[in-house]
Amino acid sequence: MKIAIGNDHAGIDLKDAVLEVLHARGIEVVDCGTYDRNSCDYPVFGQKAADLVASGECELGILMCGTGVGISLAANKVKGIRCVCCSEVYSAAMARCHNDANMLSIGARVIGTETAKMIVAAFLDASFEGDRHQRRVDIITAIENGEKTY
Ligand code: RB5
């Protein structure tokens, strides 16, 4: 499996923790940056990682910024991306099981490194259940495509 990661200067504090989980599983990582603590603009790195997931080059993506919010908003503007911002394990797992989320976003100013590792592991271990959930994901895609669903 190949995973794209992206972060801004605030999210960089979680990067080592995330990489630890990914490397322990032998997952190939494409690190879209940023690579230092100089102030930068999170949407750029969110888009860069999201493009790799949307194109199929990477199966999943993991994003980090201060809250996890801004970079997830940016990623979700890329067609085909379902990025979920999570601060706890249950939502991270269910986002895969029910929503077929293909990107996870976490906030370095919100959660600690051990919680972050557990969230990443939960996201990776879960898988999409399909069935009625596929129908609902298809509706999300229809909305993304500008269709009225009501
Ligand atoms: C950077 O200060 C901060 O705004 C950013 O990391 C993120 O939290 C935005 O949503």
Side-chain angles (χ1 to χ4, degrees):
M1 180 191 279
K2 199 155 129 183
I3 287 191
I5 65 168
N7 59 277
D8 71 353
H9 55 287
I12 205 163
D13 290 331
L14 279 183
K15 182 136 77 176
D16 284 347
V18 169
L19 286 174
E20 198 181 305
V21 177
L22 301 181
H23 289 154
R25 290 163 182 248
I27 291 170
E28 192 182 341
V29 175
V30 181
D31 185 350
C32 297
T34 190
Y35 308 107
D36 57 42
R37 287 183 168 73
N38 295 326
S39 183
C40 64
D41 299 326
Y42 58 80
V44 174
F45 302 96
Q47 184 186 31
K48 203 170 166 186
D51 279 347
L52 291 176
V53 176
S55 72
E57 189 171 333
C58 290
E59 200 173 310
L60 297 171
I62 299 175
L63 302 173
M64 297 147 272
C65 69
T67 57
V69 173
I71 201 162
S72 68
L73 291 174
N76 277 317
K77 293 296 178 189
V78 175
K79 206 172 165 69
I81 293 302
R82 289 176 298 280
C83 181
V84 60
C85 179
C86 286
S87 300
E88 37 75 33
V89 166
Y90 180 74
S91 299
M94 295 309 285
R96 294 279 296 127
C97 295
H98 285 191
N99 314 119
D100 201 16
N102 50 16
M103 296 190 81
L104 167 71
S105 182
I106 46 182
R109 294 173 179 165
V110 181
I111 57 171
T113 54
E114 292 308 311
T115 302
K117 286 196 269 187
M118 290 172 72
I119 289 170
V120 170
F123 187 76
L124 295 176
D125 288 342
S127 51
F128 186 47
E129 292 173 6
D131 195 36
R132 68 188 183 282
H133 303 297
Q134 182 62 61
R135 184 177 69 244
R136 293 160 187 165
V137 170
D138 288 344
I139 295 172
I140 293 174
T141 302
I143 294 169
E144 185 177 61
N145 290 331
E147 294 172 33
K148 280 279 181 229
T149 61
Y150 59 92

